[in-house]
Amino acid sequence: VPRRVITPGDVYDAMGVVLAELERIQYRLGLERYFPKADPVEGKTPDDVIYNTELAKRLLPDFSLEKNLYQYDRLSLAKNTNHIFSLTEHILKQLQLYRRHKGIQVQVKEAQLEYEPKSQHVYSKMLEALEKISRLRVMQGLGKSAVSRHPLREISTQEVFDLALLIDDSLIKIYKHAEIDVSSWSTDPVTGDHSNKTFKDVYHNLWHINKLLDTLLGVGSFTPDESFQKVSDIAKEVDFIIQKISTNTRNSVKAEAETLINLKARDVFKKSIQVLELILEAQRRAGMFDVNYNTVLESNSIRSIDVYNQARVIEAELNELKVFLGISQTFEKTKAVKNKDSNDIYKVLVGVENKLHALLHKEVQQ
């Protein structure tokens, strides 16, 4: 026992350790059960905490060797794509109910999935959703939440499942703030059981979840300033990869980019597709032969938020290339900017495009 004053925070941390140990025992027995988190109760004293702790101790089985210990197959508790699909389906349905509650009936854009995404793509799409949920929290007056970076390593199926649980839990807080009676996937008595689901099915759900979040955020949620930040980060990533694997790459920028005016979001989106295709070609050149672009957005009404979403796709592919090449270093993100437009974003993308041309030993456009 530390020889100092014990604070409520110390007690809370100790209870967290106890809870983690109980969950570990539960898992080793092959059991899994989620309980809704209890809301804080005002006016409680240390006596109340001691009472509950003593009660819990008396309820705990003694695990006597004279009694039979019933165990179940804990390997069956490992999460797979069927569980993740069930979870994303739950998120999708409740998000649609929330939209209806808010009176938003805007139709979402459809996209075609052309190949089987990997766990990294699904994880990246979930990070995109968490970023939008953080924006939604600010709009509802709940405060901003942190969004982690995409880890530069292989992503396990369990990690994807855990991140999906975080999305569900984050949205539940927003629903409760709007006084909508909903339950999380973990405590919902009716959850769908599925079989033969793949990451492609999960990604399709996540695509719709993100598009529903876009409709909740509105058309001006992600401005050209934020898209400029994202493509500037992409430019840094490309420079970093070139620095690590190439010593003979020219960094030249297309001259016409300085004089182009009145560019629209659709022009930037088209250029981002070209940049993505070059990144996929670089992946294949590096030995990643099973790569392809996984979504195609068919629409003439491209907005700033579509450009930002596409930039996130490019960022995810660059992360996958870095993992394959064994590059684990990160860099400081671009700081917030103001008064940027489609022209500025386009110029950065042209610079990225020409660096990739040089990396692939193609003719650099002057």
Side-chain angles (χ1 to χ4, degrees), residues 60-76:
L60 189 68
D62 56 12
F63 295 101
S64 171
L65 295 177
E66 298 176 357
K67 298 179 181 178
N68 291 330
L69 182 64
Y70 294 99
Q71 292 182 265
Y72 304 90
D73 181 15
R74 68 171 179 264
L75 293 179
S76 65

Side-chain angles (χ1 to χ4, degrees), residues 278-339:
L278 287 171
I279 292 172
L280 296 178
E281 187 174 344
Q283 289 178 338
R284 296 187 192 99
R285 184 76 62 88
M288 301 168 61
F289 301 116
D290 59 341
V291 297
N292 208 333
Y293 182 38
N294 51 9
T295 54
V296 176
L297 188 62
E298 298 290 350
S299 176
N300 294 322
S301 58
I302 299 296
R303 300 169 299 162
S304 179
I305 194 168
D306 298 315
V307 174
Y308 186 85
N309 291 340
Q310 184 67 12
R312 287 200 64 101
V313 173
I314 295 173
E315 187 179 49
E317 294 298 338
L318 283 173
N319 281 333
E320 189 175 0
L321 178 59
K322 287 175 69 176
V323 171
F324 184 82
L325 295 173
I327 301 173
S328 58
Q329 294 91 337
T330 58
F331 57 86
E332 185 178 353
K333 295 287 187 179
T334 303
K335 295 182 179 179
V337 295
K338 292 183 179 180
N339 302 321

Side-chain angles (χ1 to χ4, degrees), residues 61-299:
D62 56 12
F63 295 101
S64 171
L65 295 177
E66 298 176 357
K67 298 179 181 178
N68 291 330
L69 182 64
Y70 294 99
Q71 292 182 265
Y72 304 90
D73 181 15
R74 68 171 179 264
L75 293 179
S76 65
L77 300 179
K79 302 308 177 189
N80 54 40
T81 49
N82 294 322
H83 297 103
I84 302 171
F85 180 84
S86 173
L87 180 46
T88 55
E89 187 179 52
H90 172 87
I91 294 170
L92 188 58
K93 288 179 179 178
Q94 296 211 328
L95 197 55
Q96 288 169 335
L97 289 174
Y98 179 69
R99 278 208 331 152
R100 206 167 292 128
H101 174 81
K102 301 288 288 185
I104 299 172
Q105 301 293 340
V106 179
Q107 297 297 313
V108 300
K109 298 177 181 179
E110 290 292 334
Q112 298 177 347
L113 298 180
E114 296 189 333
Y115 87 114
E116 189 70 34
K118 301 176 184 176
S119 58
Q120 297 96 301
H121 301 107
V122 175
Y123 194 91
S124 178
K125 209 66 180 172
M126 288 182 176
L127 289 177
E128 179 183 328
L130 282 171
E131 186 174 0
K132 292 173 181 177
I133 290 169
S134 179
R135 294 288 182 96
L136 193 58
R137 282 177 56 89
V138 173
M139 288 175 58
Q140 301 300 321
L142 294 174
K144 193 174 183 180
S145 58
V147 180
S148 62
R149 284 189 174 190
H150 194 294
L152 292 176
R153 54 175 171 73
E154 294 291 331
I155 305 296
S156 68
T157 303
Q158 183 65 48
E159 287 178 296
V160 176
F161 177 81
D162 291 341
L163 197 61
L165 278 180
L166 179 58
I167 292 174
D168 188 34
D169 186 58
S170 300
L171 285 171
I172 289 294
K173 291 181 173 64
I174 294 175
Y175 302 152
K176 288 186 176 179
H177 182 261
E179 298 182 349
I180 302 175
D181 186 19
V182 292
S183 60
S184 66
W185 180 86
S186 301
T187 59
D188 190 347
V190 182
T191 56
D193 293 325
H194 302 279
S195 60
N196 302 321
K197 296 299 181 182
T198 66
F199 277 126
K200 185 174 183 178
D201 302 304
V202 175
Y203 194 95
H204 187 269
N205 276 353
L206 284 168
W207 173 271
H208 280 279
I209 287 169
N210 273 284
K211 288 303 174 184
L212 290 177
L213 288 169
D214 288 346
T215 62
L216 286 165
L217 291 171
V219 294
S221 54
F222 287 89
T223 66
D225 292 337
E226 289 153 320
S227 295
F228 181 86
Q229 278 182 268
K230 188 61 70 176
V231 297
S232 296
D233 288 340
I234 289 170
K236 289 181 182 179
E237 290 277 22
V238 172
D239 283 337
F240 193 69
I241 292 172
I242 289 173
Q243 177 188 345
K244 290 293 183 181
I245 67 175
S246 176
T247 58
N248 191 31
T249 300
R250 294 171 295 161
N251 297 334
S252 54
V253 179
K254 191 174 180 180
E256 296 90 324
E258 298 294 335
T259 58
L260 290 173
I261 57 173
N262 297 326
L263 291 173
K264 305 297 183 184
R266 62 176 177 271
D267 301 310
V268 181
F269 188 85
K270 183 178 179 181
K271 179 59 66 178
S272 69
I273 292 290
Q274 295 169 356
V275 169
L276 178 60
E277 289 171 350
L278 287 171
I279 292 172
L280 296 178
E281 187 174 344
Q283 289 178 338
R284 296 187 192 99
R285 184 76 62 88
M288 301 168 61
F289 301 116
D290 59 341
V291 297
N292 208 333
Y293 182 38
N294 51 9
T295 54
V296 176
L297 188 62
E298 298 290 350
S299 176

Side-chain angles (χ1 to χ4, degrees), residues 12-24:
Y12 184 86
D13 292 341
M15 291 296 178
V17 174
V18 171
L19 185 60
E21 291 298 327
L22 285 171
E23 289 178 348
R24 187 166 70 159

